Amino acid sequence: MRSAIILAGGEAKRAGGREKYRFRYDGVQFIQRLINSLSGITDEIIVVARDEDHCSSFKDLQDISGVVVVCDIRKKIGPLGGMHAGIQVCNGELIFVTACDMPCIHSEVVTRLFDSINGHDAVIPRWNEEMIEPLHAVYRKSALTEYLVEHKSLSIRSLIRSIDAVYVDVESFRDVDPDLETFMNINSLEELERINGTPDK
């Protein structure tokens, strides 16, 4: 069974306080674009919000088959808090983890990541030795669970160093995603306007 976790609990400080998952690209909200891309290649999608009040803003997703909305159990510790909450409810041993500000996820790329994990704990796209994509990666649930039980560092890089992770060169995905759009993330209103060509409404 394959699962996906969408981390949607960030504070969006660089986005003028607006929730990035509600940004629109090509007329469709980021969160819906992600669900559309992932629903055909995973058995379930876990959307992680920051708290109970935030969960209520996802009511429109609750009726979508295969989508579950939960909130952080360990508050204000960043992406690891969202990953921790997500693995508590997901059923798959292999989990694709993504941020909510990546509106152009390519299902073919994600499928290739799932297929590349083999016996490893994680498969992570890498641009070079320093630049990796840990929030566009596949992890093994058992490895995440073991690390997150009593983790001392809130750094995803510390997590990756402690598990058996294999890296995949992002250039290897150009045959299915020529412009590597799958790795595009939008952090600000200015970036949103740039990709849309006009100010977001």
Side-chain angles (χ1 to χ4, degrees):
M1 186 172 185
R2 295 178 171 183
S3 304
I5 293 176
I6 301 174
L7 304 176
E11 298 293 337
K13 294 179 180 178
R14 286 189 287 173
R18 293 177 57 186
E19 302 288 5
K20 289 187 287 186
Y21 58 85
R22 294 298 186 191
F23 283 176
R24 291 178 180 271
Y25 175 51
D26 201 22
V28 182
Q29 289 186 350
F30 282 17
I31 190 70
Q32 189 61 58
R33 290 179 64 92
L34 282 164
I35 290 172
N36 291 346
S37 295
L38 297 171
S39 61
I41 58 171
T42 60
D43 300 290
E44 62 181 1
I45 299 172
I46 315 299
V47 178
V48 184
R50 56 181 166 267
D51 53 38
E52 292 291 348
D53 287 340
H54 193 211
C55 269
S56 65
S57 69
F58 293 101
K59 287 182 178 179
D60 58 322
L61 305 181
Q62 303 281 10
D63 294 331
I64 300 177
S65 177
V67 176
V68 177
V69 180
V70 298
C71 64
D72 286 344
I73 299 169
R74 299 175 182 173
K75 312 291 186 185
K76 298 184 182 299
I77 65 170
L80 286 186
M83 293 167 74
H84 169 261
I87 63 174
Q88 306 307 309
V89 298
C90 80
N91 296 294
E93 172 61 10
L94 299 181
I95 307 167
F96 175 70
V97 177
T98 183
C100 67
D101 59 3
M102 306 183 85
C104 297
I105 293 286
H106 278 233
S107 57
E108 297 92 340
V109 174
V110 177
T111 296
R112 189 170 296 180
L113 290 172
F114 274 120
D115 292 342
S116 299
I117 194 167
N118 298 317
H120 300 284
D121 293 330
V123 55
I124 301 168
R126 178 169 64 182
W127 296 89
N128 53 50
E129 291 295 328
E130 298 297 324
M131 189 175 177
I132 61 176
E133 296 282 355
L135 297 184
H136 186 303
V138 169
Y139 297 86
R140 195 171 293 280
K141 180 181 178 181
S142 53
L144 289 180
T145 301
E146 183 177 350
Y147 178 82
L148 292 171
V149 167
E150 294 183 2
H151 67 276
K152 296 180 180 179
S153 171
L154 302 182
S155 166
I156 290 184
R157 288 181 179 268
S158 293
L159 159 66
I160 293 169
R161 285 194 295 267
S162 73
I163 62 178
D164 174 22
V166 63
Y167 296 95
V168 179
D169 190 332
V170 297
E171 293 293 330
S172 69
F173 299 113
R174 285 197 185 273
D175 62 321
V176 293
D177 182 7
D179 296 321
L180 299 178
E181 293 179 325
T182 193
F183 300 109
M184 179 177 68
N185 67 310
I186 303 301
N187 287 307
S188 67
L189 294 174
E190 291 75 17
E191 291 177 349
L192 181 66
E193 290 181 10
R194 188 182 71 247
I195 67 167
N196 277 320
T198 57
D200 182 57
K201 301 299 184 182

